[in-house]
Amino acid sequence: MSATSFDYGFMSLMRAPGNPGRHLSLVRSASRIEGAPSPAAEVTVIIAAYNSAGTIARAIESALAEPETAELVVVDDGSSDDTIGQAQRADDGSGRMKILAQPVNRGPSVARNRALQNSTAPWIAILDADDFFLPGRLKSLLHYADKADFIADNLLQVDEQARDGEGSPLLHTIEPPRFVDFQQFVLANISGGKRERAEYGILKPLIRRSFLMDHALAYRENMRLGEDYELYARALALGGAFLLVSDQQKYVSVIRTASLSGRHTEHDLEQLRDCDDALAEIPGLSARDKAILRKHQLSIQCRLQWRLFLQAAKVRDLKGMVLPFIHPFPVPMYLAGLAGKQILREPWRLFKHVVLGRPTPQRAAAKAR
């Protein structure tokens, strides 16, 4: 499948002349990475919001509290609640915020691309409408502005019921700042074996705008899940420098049951799976690079087929339960392992539901109502 067959939004508007090959303008060293203040650097903060009336004010206030925020672009993605009203009331009057409204919901990639089109600051910071910055985040990341194209700190994950700032870091291995290459990045987004899944793909780094423009990069607009992973992986494949500052935790990621990432569909998983095919077509990737992409793709395929298996089991569709197992290794083993754990956990309930056709207690109660 050709990378050009996908919709990359405003790529053509951003295309600029220059070397399309690997980005070699930054010198990377294995020695200690020491940043330097970059007072001229300014940041565009982008918030894509959908039905976020309950959280958008906190996100906006945290972004405007950062002196390094040159502009804040909020894109309301077809909300049906008072997201726009709450955003307007959270403005600090400094003239830095603008609100753009989408007529219909088209997903975070489309909303972010529109914000990129309508902003100019040399650095870009993505902030989800559920989340917020802790004071000093942008300054601490801009300390490394002369070192990389993507500067990522750790995420501090908190439950939506917890007090501000209390939580646990996404990355448990805390180390000095280091560069992450393409292979390390993709592997970190795969769980399996003894390796801890680091989820570099959900980090929210500062992004150098000129790098996006030089390489005609934008969010892939047919993705509602893993769009960050795709953008970062593509940038790394094109030679981008990705600096990880894991000992800083000033981006607070609020875990909410109603968040978009918590309600993704099978179609969303399919798009995430298929994006690896497009990434593999980038010129200059090694055989090892492509093998790691294939490994990531198979991990997504496992998740997708498990979802399809569970859906078939709920309606006692035996053919639908068998079909997910007819896929290349390691999908059958993955499904068998999860199914085995489920059976061991609740054997009699599953036997009654799937084999005898009796409803689960939850379904029986719902039917009685």
Side-chain angles (χ1 to χ4, degrees):
M1 187 176 295
S2 172
T4 58
S5 65
F6 296 109
D7 180 10
Y8 282 84
F10 70 107
M11 266 179 60
S12 60
L13 297 178
M14 295 180 64
R15 192 172 302 281
N19 183 1
R22 294 206 174 252
H23 185 66
L24 300 176
S25 62
L26 293 171
V27 178
R28 303 171 209 180
S29 170
S31 62
R32 181 179 177 85
I33 300 170
E34 295 181 354
S38 182
E42 293 182 313
V43 181
T44 293
V45 179
I46 292 174
I47 302 177
Y50 176 66
N51 288 346
S52 305
T55 61
I56 188 69
R58 179 177 60 186
I60 288 172
E61 289 165 2
S62 74
L64 292 177
E66 298 288 280
E68 295 75 22
T69 298
E71 52 187 347
L72 169 62
V73 184
V74 178
V75 181
D76 178 76
D77 194 22
S79 298
S80 58
D81 66 0
D82 190 35
T83 295
I84 290 181
Q86 292 296 327
Q88 291 171 334
R89 287 186 281 275
D91 192 358
D92 66 354
S94 63
R96 292 177 293 165
M97 185 174 78
K98 68 174 71 172
I99 300 175
L100 307 176
Q102 301 275 82
V104 295
N105 178 262
R106 296 186 59 194
S109 293
V110 176
R112 290 173 182 173
N113 283 346
R114 187 178 178 195
L116 287 171
Q117 284 180 290
N118 288 274
S119 58
T120 59
W123 288 92
I124 300 156
I126 302 298
L127 175 59
D128 287 346
D130 295 344
D131 303 340
F132 58 96
F133 296 157
L134 293 180
R137 178 179 187 252
L138 297 183
K139 180 180 180 179
S140 64
L141 293 180
L142 286 170
H143 186 69
Y144 301 96
D146 62 334
K147 302 297 181 183
D149 304 300
F150 293 74
I151 310 168
D153 54 356
N154 210 338
L155 296 186
L156 188 62
Q157 296 183 306
V158 303
D159 184 83
E160 61 181 323
Q161 304 300 327
R163 295 197 303 272
D164 291 0
E166 289 190 356
S168 59
L170 170 70
L171 307 178
H172 297 292
T173 302
I174 307 301
E175 54 191 347
R178 66 178 180 86
F179 288 106
V180 175
D181 65 24
F182 178 82
Q183 294 184 11
Q184 292 168 340
F185 175 82
V186 177
L187 282 171
N189 292 279
I190 305 171
S191 57
K194 297 181 180 180
R195 183 179 59 255
E196 178 186 10
R197 186 180 177 190
E199 289 280 19
Y200 290 170
I202 67 172
L203 296 174
K204 294 292 187 288
L206 282 187
I207 303 171
R208 189 186 300 276
R209 185 185 296 272
S210 61
F211 184 87
L212 297 185
M213 297 183 69
D214 289 347
H215 296 83
L217 289 177
Y219 287 96
R220 183 171 159 177
E221 296 194 347
N222 64 346
M223 295 184 70
R224 289 175 178 257
L225 174 70
E227 68 280 354
D228 292 311
Y229 160 81
E230 197 279 341
L231 179 69
Y232 306 160
R234 184 170 293 275
L236 282 164
L238 293 171
F242 192 107
L243 181 66
L244 178 61
V245 189
S246 62
D247 59 349
Q248 295 185 22
Q249 303 163 21
K250 294 188 176 182
Y251 183 105
V252 179
S253 174
V254 180
I255 308 302
R256 301 179 67 226
T257 55
S259 67
L260 178 62
S261 60
R263 60 176 188 269
H264 57 260
T265 66
E266 287 73 33
H267 177 74
D268 297 332
L269 282 168
E270 289 172 354
Q271 297 302 315
L272 176 56
R273 176 198 63 193
D274 294 345
C275 83
D276 285 324
D277 287 330
L279 290 171
E281 293 183 1
I282 296 175
L285 291 185
S286 68
R288 173 66 174 162
D289 292 335
K290 295 178 181 180
I292 291 173
L293 281 173
R294 177 60 178 163
K295 191 170 185 178
H296 178 264
Q297 186 175 58
L298 285 172
S299 73
I300 304 303
Q301 178 75 313
C302 287
R303 291 166 57 188
L304 171 62
Q305 296 306 318
W306 176 244
R307 287 280 295 268
L308 295 175
F309 171 81
L310 290 178
Q311 285 191 354
K314 288 178 182 178
V315 297
R316 299 186 297 281
D317 177 3
L318 294 181
K319 180 181 178 181
M321 293 170 64
V322 171
L323 286 177
F325 285 86
I326 309 176
H327 285 274
F329 176 86
V331 176
M333 291 188 63
Y334 176 88
L335 298 178
L338 286 183
K341 291 179 182 178
Q342 197 84 355
I343 291 171
L344 290 174
R345 190 180 301 121
E346 301 178 283
W348 177 238
R349 186 183 73 85
L350 290 173
F351 177 77
K352 288 192 298 181
H353 173 52
V354 177
V355 179
L356 301 182
R358 298 177 185 175
T360 61
Q362 294 88 345
R363 291 182 64 193
K367 186 176 181 180
R369 289 196 294 269

